[in-house]
Amino acid sequence: MKKIKSSTLRKVFQYAKPYTTKMVAVVISLLILSVFAAIRPYMVKNIVDWYIEAKDSNGLLQYSVLMAIVLLIEVISQFSFTYTSNWLGQNIIKDIRQKLFNKMLHFKQSFFDHEPVGKLITRNVSDIENIASIFSQGLFMIVGDVLKMLVVLGIMLWMNWKLTLIVVLAMPILLYATRIFQKHMKTAFEEVRFQVSNLNTFVQERLTGMKIVQLFVQEENDFKKFKEINQKHNDAWQKNILYNSIFFPIADIVSSVTLGCVIIYGGFSIVNGDNLTSTGDLFAYTMMISMLFNPLRQIADKFNVMQMGIVAADRVFEIMDQDHLIQEEGKLIAPAFNGAIDFEDIHFSYIEGTEILKGIDLNIEAGQTVAIVGSSGAGKSTIINLLSRFYEINSGKIYIDGTDIHSYTLESLRKQIAVVLQEVFLFSDTIYQNIALHDPEITLEKVKEAAQKIGIHTFIESLPGSYHYNVKERGIMLSAGQRQLIAFLRAYMSNPSILILDEATSSIDTYSEELLQKAVQIVTKDRTSIVIAHRLATIVNADVIVVMDQGKIVEKGRHNQLLQIDNGYYKQLYDSQYASAKD
């Protein structure tokens, strides 16, 4: 037990506090089970010595009834212990899983930029399931086995100290083997959990990116990589199996040799007329040695199950203890904004030492449509990430309607800002639920009404099942343009004060673009809108066009004004795109 991390156990047992009654029930069941299970061999001794050898059939019948009652109590206690300990374990991991998932929902976006999705899935699913084994197959069963062994050993000493001495002399051998086994198994279990996480991460990423794998003909290479990772996973388990294969035969041999020595010594004692040993003693000892050695052997196995639960708990708490929560210092509930936005001397880095935004100053008036253009990596999308507080700025201030965005609660701030991204994410659900996101206040009637207003109702009605059409994982059943239309309607349904379109029309077909442009005109009217676009033809009518290069604003003005700047950055971009389109 020295290898068990007490700090981790304490953390796990913090979640058991709401279930104190169940904990008490488990302890009571353990005590009853330990006592009555140990009494059973002693009762067998009495049956043999008092009634079978004396040929007392009436006494044998009466004592058998008493023994049946003891067995019934033992069975009821076993049921109570098994059910309650498993119930307790499952409810505790339910609470841990809820807390972990809720915390991850509020992590900064930077956390997900660096953590593999497969690893996080492993923590939320299989690792948390392993924590339940601490209660169902680990700690309580170890405590129960130890109690049973102590009671059995006490009864054995009381019955026949000479026979008990033989048993006690053999126990250090098994204890030493158990200690060595535990040490090696801890290392083996840690390696198993590490390889399981690697395997989950690899499989999740390849299944998600299967299109890329097949487009670039990487099936053979990825299969080779999978075989390597799978082999490491197999090797980790094989090491686990090897240690079990060595330990348990050794434990069986020690138990069998001890039993043989007890029978031989006890048999000769009876033959030689030693009154300290009876036939009943030998019957009882054959049962008691099993009850003493089997739990001792199984404690090692249960210890390993518990060790696996502790390792899993360590991994889960490693995520839960990370300080990646978005700081919620704001107290104000954001109202429906007028939409005036001010960026003042904004500096920001995704990676320390590599500045992405270098002193951005930008004023957006309420109701304006502002377009931000520039080459990839110029910092366009970073600006909207900071406005929505997906990341925290290094220095500077962002104001909406004259109030620092950090003064607002995060939830109310984001409710007033809707974003349509270039890469649309749709859940494996119906179109209606992908728009409403299971918000009970957004009814199907409201969704249909909004779709009619922005002109995409006919498109949705043309799909099989209409608004109840299941788009499957990531919206694979829809084209890129259709997914954009659904995402736009989702943003519109939130009735935002500020609308952000991040490359929202860069990769859609002509028909979808016509629908979307019509919808944009309706939705952006009298609402502050920020449009990020590579295709300059889509933003020529913007009130203001902001041109960015290498994290700085290099030009700003209306389309016609920017075209008048000789050798201007925007003019060069527009001329190159116009020439390409003409060709």
Side-chain angles (χ1 to χ4, degrees), residues 54-102:
K55 298 182 180 179
D56 182 356
S57 57
N58 290 330
L60 177 61
L61 180 61
Q62 293 175 4
Y63 205 84
S64 296
V65 171
L66 180 61
M67 189 170 181
I69 294 172
V70 170
L71 287 171
L72 180 62
I73 294 173
E74 186 181 345
V75 168
I76 293 173
S77 300
Q78 182 67 59
F79 167 78
S80 175
F81 167 72
T82 304
Y83 176 80
T84 309
S85 60
N86 279 275
W87 183 96
L88 184 64
Q90 288 301 316
N91 277 275
I92 286 173
I93 66 169
K94 176 202 69 176
D95 294 343
I96 293 176
R97 183 179 283 120
Q98 287 178 181
K99 184 172 181 180
L100 174 63
F101 190 73
N102 184 57

Side-chain angles (χ1 to χ4, degrees), residues 7-74:
S7 59
T8 304
L9 267 180
R10 282 197 299 271
K11 284 184 179 180
V12 172
F13 270 88
Q14 289 294 318
Y15 293 88
K17 286 183 177 179
Y19 309 107
T20 304
T21 303
K22 294 292 183 181
M23 289 277 288
V24 172
V26 170
V27 172
I28 292 174
S29 300
L30 271 180
L31 291 172
I32 295 173
L33 186 61
S34 301
V35 172
F36 279 81
I39 288 175
R40 182 162 31 92
Y42 181 72
M43 297 184 74
V44 170
K45 162 192 162 52
N46 292 340
I47 285 178
V48 172
D49 290 342
W50 297 352
Y51 304 111
I52 293 178
E53 288 193 345
K55 298 182 180 179
D56 182 356
S57 57
N58 290 330
L60 177 61
L61 180 61
Q62 293 175 4
Y63 205 84
S64 296
V65 171
L66 180 61
M67 189 170 181
I69 294 172
V70 170
L71 287 171
L72 180 62
I73 294 173
E74 186 181 345

Side-chain angles (χ1 to χ4, degrees), residues 61-168:
L61 180 61
Q62 293 175 4
Y63 205 84
S64 296
V65 171
L66 180 61
M67 189 170 181
I69 294 172
V70 170
L71 287 171
L72 180 62
I73 294 173
E74 186 181 345
V75 168
I76 293 173
S77 300
Q78 182 67 59
F79 167 78
S80 175
F81 167 72
T82 304
Y83 176 80
T84 309
S85 60
N86 279 275
W87 183 96
L88 184 64
Q90 288 301 316
N91 277 275
I92 286 173
I93 66 169
K94 176 202 69 176
D95 294 343
I96 293 176
R97 183 179 283 120
Q98 287 178 181
K99 184 172 181 180
L100 174 63
F101 190 73
N102 184 57
K103 189 163 187 179
M104 288 174 59
L105 286 173
H106 297 87
F107 274 164
K108 299 175 184 176
Q109 196 63 39
S110 57
F111 171 81
F112 300 101
D113 292 341
H114 299 96
E115 291 290 348
V117 175
K119 173 183 173 181
L120 298 179
I121 292 173
T122 302
R123 300 294 179 268
N124 275 274
V125 183
S126 59
D127 279 338
I128 287 184
E129 283 296 331
N130 283 325
I131 294 176
S133 63
I134 294 175
F135 299 90
S136 60
Q137 303 172 49
L139 182 63
F140 290 139
M141 295 195 79
I142 291 173
V143 172
D145 285 342
V146 170
L147 283 174
K148 189 186 297 183
M149 289 166 59
L150 291 174
V151 175
V152 167
L153 193 59
I155 294 175
M156 291 171 74
L157 284 168
W158 181 62
M159 286 172 52
N160 192 315
W161 68 270
K162 291 183 178 180
L163 294 181
T164 304
L165 185 61
I166 297 174
V167 177
V168 170

Side-chain angles (χ1 to χ4, degrees), residues 456 459 480-490 512 515-516:
I456 66 172
F459 142 66
Q482 290 172 331
R483 291 196 293 271
Q484 285 286 5
L485 292 170
I486 299 302
F488 193 86
L489 180 55
R490 177 164 63 191
S512 297
L515 289 178
L516 191 54

Side-chain angles (χ1 to χ4, degrees), residues 38 106 147 159 252 277 291 340 384 466 488 558 567:
H106 297 87
L147 283 174
M159 286 172 52
D252 286 337
T277 305
M291 294 177 68
I384 64 171
S466 183
F488 193 86
R558 294 184 66 87
N567 296 318

